[in-house]
Amino acid sequence: MKMIVTGGAGFIGSNFIFHILKKYPSYGVICLDKLTYAGNLSTLKSVMENPNFRFVKEDICNRAAVYRLFEEEKPDVVVNFAAESHVDRSIDNPEIFLQTNILGTQVLMDACRQYGITRYHQVSTDEVYGDLPLDRPDLFFTEETPIHASSPYSSSKAAADLLVLAYYRTYGLPVTISRCSNNYGPYHFPEKLIPLTIANALNDKPLPVYGQGLNVRDWLYVEDHCKAIDLILHKGRVGEIYNVGGHNEMANIEIVKLICKELGKPESLIKFVADRKGHDMRYAIDPTKIHRELGWLPETKFAYGIKKTIAWYLENREWWEEILSGDYQQYYEKMYQNR
Ligand code: NAD
Ligand code: DAU
């Protein structure tokens, strides 16, 4: 089996590559990644020498280059993680989100049609469903929940999902889609809530919490997401959407306080700042379908997963300090100064 994994130098894609190379030693994996600000080649250093692994620096929107790669490698499966993934950046400048997340998906699927594959898997998000109110804890997103995206990021992911389903119906492309909740774990880029809070707390810097910190996310350890995609690829039904989430809802303020406690840092570091525009209130996935059909259940409890994650950031300071010392500083100032 030969697999092209796009966006594999990012957070979830890299964890997925580690999972696949370890579990299936006979598989070939080609990582196709543009190495945007969020992609980091050092993340993949442990697999660079693996003869079953190849890294290709390329943009998924570059049709000629993508076709060349398909021609050369003749992949059986494509798993598309490549995306602009940060909601705040999409609010600041939506354009690149539409290009990569929608048009890039189109290029990949056109290549799949042209060269033939057995599966195209689209890594999507629970954000395509919009949000749920805090006073209705009985409501969850199912695969039948209508798409109702809020931000430029989530609308671009929703548009891509629609296109994937259209390629299934129109051309019979063998597709699957997973819609997962918020991931956390190693190699998470420090612009996102959990790694940002860990890094700032370790540097005794203010911990920015949007609004009142009451927004709820459904956190899942990244390896559990990777295992779900693995199951969908091997046992999932073509043309289907699978929600992935662990019934682990927590308010942002709870997460930030927990990280302070784990690191022995004072809660006085917490700074409530202006809210995100159009901020989604609550995400909550109903994972019944993937459990019933494929037997998937999350394995890592949050209490253990967050300790493991914090330990990873303590042991791998050079990975995130390198990021913090670069262009990230300008991003941080723009987003958080005078907020
Ligand atoms: P990330 O931002 O950490 O990584 C994205 C990767 O894609 C980077 O390596 C980047 O270089 C690459 N990339 C971006 N544009 C590209 C392009 N045009 N061509 C080739 N490569 C490109 O993102 P992540 O958090 O790992 O998310 C991966 C996928 O999972 C995304 O599609 C995202 O929508 C989805 N998702 C993320 C979460 C989450 O909690 N992080 C949850 C559900 C779904
Ligand atoms: O739900 C899945 C989605 O989860 C993925 O599709 C996205 O790619 C991923 O980035 C993530 O989106 P969120 O917007 O939920 O994640 P983020 O870490 O940016 O924010 C989590 C919550 O914390 C959100 O309510 C905003 C808040 N927040 C975030 C940051 C960066 C803060 O309060 N302060 C911050 O500094």
Side-chain angles (χ1 to χ4, degrees), residues 85-88 125-127 153 180-182 191-193 196 208-210 215 217 252 276 279 283 336:
S85 70
H86 194 35
V87 174
D88 292 324
T125 168
D126 60 358
E127 297 201 13
Y153 161 71
C180 190
S181 61
N182 285 62
E191 68 191 347
K192 309 283 169 57
L193 178 71
L196 183 148
V209 172
Y210 300 167
N215 305 64
R217 298 292 182 266
N252 295 337
R276 176 184 277 174
H279 199 173
Y283 302 144
Y336 294 97

Side-chain angles (χ1 to χ4, degrees), residues 177-282:
I177 297 177
S178 51
R179 292 181 177 154
C180 190
S181 61
N182 285 62
N183 285 212
Y184 68 101
Y187 300 109
H188 202 179
F189 195 84
E191 68 191 347
K192 309 283 169 57
L193 178 71
I194 288 185
L196 183 148
T197 304
I198 297 172
N200 280 17
L202 286 171
N203 288 330
D204 298 305
K205 285 187 151 174
L207 310 176
V209 172
Y210 300 167
Q212 296 175 285
L214 301 178
N215 305 64
V216 167
R217 298 292 182 266
D218 178 3
W219 294 95
L220 183 73
Y221 194 62
V222 63
E223 274 174 20
D224 282 323
H225 184 189
C226 296
K227 287 177 186 170
I229 296 172
D230 174 359
L231 271 175
I232 296 168
L233 286 177
H234 290 90
K235 297 190 183 148
R237 286 185 294 136
V238 163
E240 293 292 316
I241 297 165
Y242 292 91
N243 280 357
V244 184
H247 282 306
N248 182 56
E249 290 178 48
M250 290 178 80
N252 295 337
I253 188 69
E254 282 180 80
I255 300 262
V256 174
K257 285 185 177 172
L258 181 70
I259 293 172
C260 287
K261 190 163 161 235
E262 288 290 334
L263 289 173
K265 298 289 179 179
E267 287 182 10
S268 56
L269 284 176
I270 294 172
K271 185 178 172 216
F272 291 97
V273 299
D275 210 350
R276 176 184 277 174
K277 287 190 178 78
H279 199 173
D280 280 337
M281 207 60 223
R282 169 179 169 245

Side-chain angles (χ1 to χ4, degrees), residues 127-171:
E127 297 201 13
V128 301
Y129 298 120
D131 64 351
L132 296 164
L134 286 186
D135 61 356
R136 288 294 307 275
D138 54 313
L139 294 180
F140 297 92
F141 299 135
T142 73
E143 291 79 0
E144 273 70 52
T145 302
I147 280 186
H148 195 258
S150 315
S151 69
Y153 161 71
S154 54
S155 347
S156 69
K157 294 295 289 184
D161 281 13
L162 293 175
L163 199 61
V164 172
L165 294 173
Y167 271 54
Y168 170 62
R169 173 151 172 173
T170 310
Y171 306 116

Side-chain angles (χ1 to χ4, degrees), residues 7 9-13 32-36 38-39 58-61 81-85 100 123-125 153 157 180-183 188 192 225:
F11 167 43
I12 310 176
L32 169 62
D33 197 298
K34 184 182 174 184
L35 295 181
T36 66
E58 196 44 80
D59 187 335
I60 58 166
C61 300
F81 289 92
E84 289 294 331
S85 70
T100 291
V123 181
S124 186
T125 168
Y153 161 71
K157 294 295 289 184
C180 190
S181 61
N182 285 62
N183 285 212
H188 202 179
K192 309 283 169 57
H225 184 189

